[in-house]
Amino acid sequence: MKRARLLAGALTLVVLATGAVAAATRQAPGPARFVTDERGRTLLLHGFNTASSAKSTSDAMPELTEADVEREYRDMGTNFVRFLLQWRAVEPRPGVYDTEYLDKVAERISWYAERGYHVLLDMHQDLWGPGITPTAVAGNGAPAWATHLDGLPVAQDHWTWEMYYLEPGVIRAFDHFWNTTGEHPELMEHYAGAWRAVAERFKDEPAVLGYDLMNEPWGGSVQGAAFESGPLAELYRRCVERIRAVDNDTWIFLEPQAVGVNWGLPSALPAIADPREGEPRIGLAPHLYPLPLDLGEGYEGGSREWTDRTLGWWKENTLRAADRIGGPIILGEFGLDMTKPGAEDLVERVLDLGDELGMGRAYWSRDPGPWGPYSEKGEPGPLVAVMNRAYPRAIGGVPYRIEAGERRLTVGFEANGSGPTEIYLPADEYPNGGKVTGGTGVWDAARRVLTVQTPAQGRVELVVTPA
Ligand code: IDC
């Protein structure tokens, strides 16, 4: 059951003690505020991380078939995937790029492309790489040849996987990568080179919308602002440079450091210049994991209170960082165990926030299990109904209001003649499709998409209700 969603909307952003100007400037129409498609329409990206399984399979592919992608569209109407790549698979030996691996990635991308999805390629890592322990019980991402522990220990059997980040060997592996030790300046160069190889392979694939340069950066022994404005910014500059040498158009997304920022604290990540011809296409892709939920609590009681405050900080601080960077926001990860009390409410709240900010979002993750949409046996869980909601997939202008209420979707925008607005409508609330005021709609029952023609300029407000 979906509760009515009463949203403040972009026009009535809360005036924040220190963030009022930052919030207000984000209302101004401008090319950098939202992700746009090749026609210039604003995209509201809605989908999943796919998939955690890619971290540990021998070929680094997610456990996913084309039928799974088809089912996802049928069940939830998603238009977006944050697809996990592994540096170890891109560059298995120093300077050698694995074209077979990239071909397999390309095949998966084609499954999404055929169904109108947009793909964000995420160079994933957790805990550096599988080489941090002799038997790869933890860690994914970096190749073994780039893993230098200097004999420092990595104790095992932690009660939660994040604890490995504090192991001396893992900290040393990162310190070498960031060249904090001064001993391995080649590692960042390799990483940027791997990105160039990926960009070279996918620059002409229109379904590939963006590159997410590094999952959840961890600074090792350099943390916070010193890390984000120092080695992390340096890595991003090098990656941007190498990518732009071969690919002028694909969006590039930067992640802040994960610790603290995932919990709503501010990031110090500076702006990174985009050498592309045309408007910059660099955005921010932070994660959101309110601390109590990260530690396994449900969304209730004291945990709910803490989480609600986290959402407030996260919104303020993310808007501020995105303004500084001068680009759109994609929430690259959020998610929780859906069997916990209040989990559906939390997901709905985050999706509402995504609508309010015009922010893309990718739920963690598509894998079967208690966090995911389906059980191990393939049965749909509670997440399916929450994710299957009305939203404008593409908007023919610059949005100022997106509001999904009970059987009523409002989409307000300054039209810019970039094309029709496409709205996905779920079967439970809109069994026979939708009727629309403010434009002329054509209903595609097979795809459950209402395509709305509107005036090419001026303020347009579409209200969609069940047909
Ligand atoms: C988690 C997986 C879990 C795995 C762990 C370490 O769900 O099965 O053991 O990674 O590989 C993140 C990470 C993301 C995490 C996710 C959930 O980016 O890789 O996946 N999470 O814990 N940051 C905060 C949460």
Side-chain angles (χ1 to χ4, degrees):
M1 188 63 192
K2 288 171 186 159
R3 73 184 153 77
R5 301 178 181 106
L6 295 171
L7 299 179
L11 280 181
T12 50
L13 280 169
V14 180
V15 176
L16 310 163
T18 52
V21 178
T25 56
R26 294 193 64 79
Q27 295 169 24
R33 213 199 122 175
F34 301 102
V35 181
T36 46
D37 68 8
E38 68 284 353
R39 311 167 69 161
R41 293 184 300 179
T42 298
L43 296 174
L44 188 62
L45 301 166
H46 178 66
F48 286 93
N49 280 272
T50 306
S52 198
S53 53
K55 296 171 181 178
S56 48
T57 51
S58 58
D59 62 357
M61 285 300 119
E63 285 162 3
L64 182 84
T65 64
E66 185 168 11
D68 293 331
V69 179
E70 178 63 23
R71 180 177 189 195
E72 180 180 321
Y73 186 78
R74 294 281 150 228
D75 286 356
M76 293 172 278
T78 45
N79 68 342
F80 179 50
V81 58
R82 180 171 179 262
F83 190 87
L84 275 75
L85 303 183
Q86 296 269 294
W87 179 23
R88 67 177 167 89
V90 178
E91 191 180 6
R93 293 194 305 285
V96 178
Y97 306 117
D98 185 344
T99 51
E100 267 176 54
Y101 168 70
L102 295 175
D103 288 346
K104 285 186 182 175
V105 172
E107 187 187 20
R108 273 71 186 170
I109 290 172
S110 75
W111 300 342
Y112 288 107
E114 275 166 37
R115 292 164 180 82
Y117 280 72
H118 305 279
V119 181
L120 178 66
L121 295 177
D122 152 44
M123 198 71 85
H124 207 87
Q125 72 81 31
D126 297 290
L127 312 168
W128 183 247
I132 61 165
T133 57
T135 52
V137 292
N140 67 88
W145 58 260
T147 304
H148 305 287
L149 308 180
D150 296 349
L152 292 175
V154 178
Q156 296 182 31
D157 297 330
H158 290 296
W159 66 277
T160 176
W161 65 267
E162 285 102 329
M163 295 300 285
Y164 280 93
Y165 272 122
L166 302 177
E167 289 293 333
V170 175
I171 290 177
R172 181 62 59 85
F174 277 98
D175 284 349
H176 281 313
F177 178 69
W178 302 117
N179 203 28
T180 304
T181 60
E183 291 171 27
H184 286 284
E186 78 285 2
L187 292 178
M188 273 205 233
E189 281 301 308
H190 275 289
Y191 193 90
W195 262 118
R196 181 187 161 122
V198 171
E200 221 155 13
R201 182 69 175 74
F202 295 111
K203 64 180 192 310
D204 296 322
E205 170 51 78
V208 174
L209 172 118
Y211 306 129
D212 183 338
L213 296 185
M214 181 183 263
N215 184 64
E216 301 210 332
W218 165 251
S221 56
V222 181
Q223 292 285 327
F227 168 54
E228 291 186 299
S229 62
L232 183 60
E234 179 59 26
L235 176 76
Y236 287 163
R237 279 190 284 270
R238 291 189 202 183
C239 292
V240 167
E241 196 182 302
R242 302 292 280 280
I243 289 169
R244 286 294 181 240
V246 295
D247 180 346
N248 187 62
D249 293 333
T250 306
W251 290 84
I252 296 174
F253 282 87
L254 314 177
E255 298 196 28
Q257 91 162 31
V259 170
V261 181
N262 282 7
W263 309 328
L265 298 180
S267 162
L269 192 66
I272 304 291
D274 188 347
R276 79 179 286 268
E277 279 169 45
E279 295 288 339
R281 286 195 180 162
I282 294 183
L284 186 71
H287 297 177
L288 168 60
Y289 286 103
L291 195 49
L293 305 181
D294 209 12
L295 296 174
E297 297 282 315
Y299 183 52
E300 60 175 349
S303 157
R304 188 173 183 126
E305 200 179 310
W306 179 297
T307 297
D308 287 346
R309 288 191 188 181
T310 298
L311 289 172
W313 303 328
W314 191 91
K315 175 177 151 182
E316 281 178 45
N317 287 325
T318 300
L319 285 172
R320 207 170 292 149
D323 279 331
R324 190 169 60 240
I325 278 154
I329 305 163
I330 292 179
L331 169 53
E333 286 185 22
F334 73 105
L336 77 167
D337 180 339
M338 293 302 299
T339 65
K340 300 280 177 183
E344 289 153 78
D345 280 1
L346 189 269
V347 174
E348 198 164 285
R349 276 210 60 178
V350 176
L351 295 175
D352 287 347
L353 180 64
D355 287 355
E356 180 190 331
L357 302 180
M359 170 179 80
R361 61 269 179 144
Y363 181 91
W364 184 272
S365 65
R366 176 70 172 77
D367 299 81
W371 284 48
Y374 306 109
S375 72
E376 300 285 354
K377 288 186 189 150
E379 293 141 349
L383 183 60
V384 172
V386 184
M387 286 293 283
N388 188 26
R389 64 190 248 149
Y391 73 102
R393 301 161 53 95
I395 302 167
V398 179
Y400 60 86
R401 183 176 179 208
I402 301 169
E403 200 177 301
E406 182 95 47
R407 293 184 169 74
R408 183 185 170 92
L409 176 74
T410 307
V411 185
F413 56 97
E414 288 296 334
N416 62 10
S418 53
T421 295
E422 292 178 20
I423 296 169
Y424 172 81
L425 298 172
D428 60 344
E429 288 184 87
Y430 300 84
N432 306 310
K435 55 179 195 283
V436 60
T437 59
T440 313
V442 175
W443 175 239
D444 176 343
R447 293 170 59 236
R448 304 207 60 81
V449 170
L450 185 68
T451 299
V452 188
Q453 303 290 341
T454 61
Q457 36 180 297
R459 187 162 273 220
V460 172
E461 188 147 309
L462 305 179
V463 178
V464 182
T465 51

